[in-house]
Amino acid sequence: MEEVSLGKALALLQVYPDCNPLPPAYEPWRDLLLSLRERREQLQADADIISKTFIAIPAQGCEMEQGLLAGNSDFFLVYLLIAPFAETGPGDCLRLFQHLNGCYMCFEEYSPVFRDYYYMLQDLGGSVPISKSH
């Protein structure tokens, strides 16, 4: 069985938004996918969730022991599954990229999640969405 990761789970959720039917190989992931789907729906209920998510990113590196993105599945749900499909996307993602350049802790979190998401989407025959605002 393939190793579970947040990035892979988010790609599965994008391709199978209702979690039905899932390919048999990913059936053991159902509980995780259902909880991510429920959380995505809760986040989507907040009309300002996209702007709130991107405004919360520090311009420079994190000043905490743990980076902002560590264990922050809400950020990745918004960034990968909500913002690209919104009528108005986050606009300028420059703040995120500046932060990733200045915060190694967050870069270490971001990179494997986005890598797994991208490769899993390719494996599933999907494509990385492009925000409607671009």
Side-chain angles (χ1 to χ4, degrees):
M1 182 169 91
E2 195 166 343
E3 183 181 332
V4 177
S5 76
L6 179 59
K8 291 176 183 180
L10 293 171
L12 274 166
L13 190 56
Q14 181 178 323
V15 174
Y16 301 99
D18 295 325
C19 302
N20 278 323
L22 282 176
Y26 301 108
E27 194 59 41
W29 298 25
R30 181 174 293 283
D31 290 342
L32 171 62
L33 294 173
L34 290 173
S35 72
L36 287 171
R37 184 185 76 176
E38 182 179 333
R39 183 63 185 148
R40 180 190 62 198
E41 291 169 1
Q42 291 168 352
L43 291 167
Q44 285 176 316
D46 181 349
D48 296 325
I49 193 61
I50 296 170
S51 61
K52 287 178 186 175
T53 299
F54 285 87
I55 288 171
I57 300 169
Q60 301 300 317
C62 290
E63 296 182 13
M64 309 170 257
E65 279 187 36
Q66 190 174 20
L68 173 73
L69 299 185
N72 190 344
S73 60
D74 284 0
F75 169 81
F76 291 103
L77 280 164
V78 171
Y79 179 66
L80 296 172
L81 297 186
I82 296 174
F85 302 99
E87 289 299 317
T88 57
D92 188 4
C93 288
L94 185 60
R95 184 179 191 104
L96 170 64
F97 298 122
Q98 286 175 329
H99 180 73
L100 292 174
N101 279 328
C103 184
Y104 187 70
M105 292 182 296
C106 285
F107 182 77
E108 280 188 302
E109 295 293 327
Y110 176 90
S111 296
V113 172
F114 192 79
R115 179 199 63 221
D116 288 352
Y117 168 79
Y118 177 81
Y119 285 125
M120 179 63 108
L121 265 183
Q122 298 307 305
D123 290 347
L124 296 170
S127 61
V128 176
I130 297 172
S131 175
K132 292 180 183 179
S133 66
H134 299 295

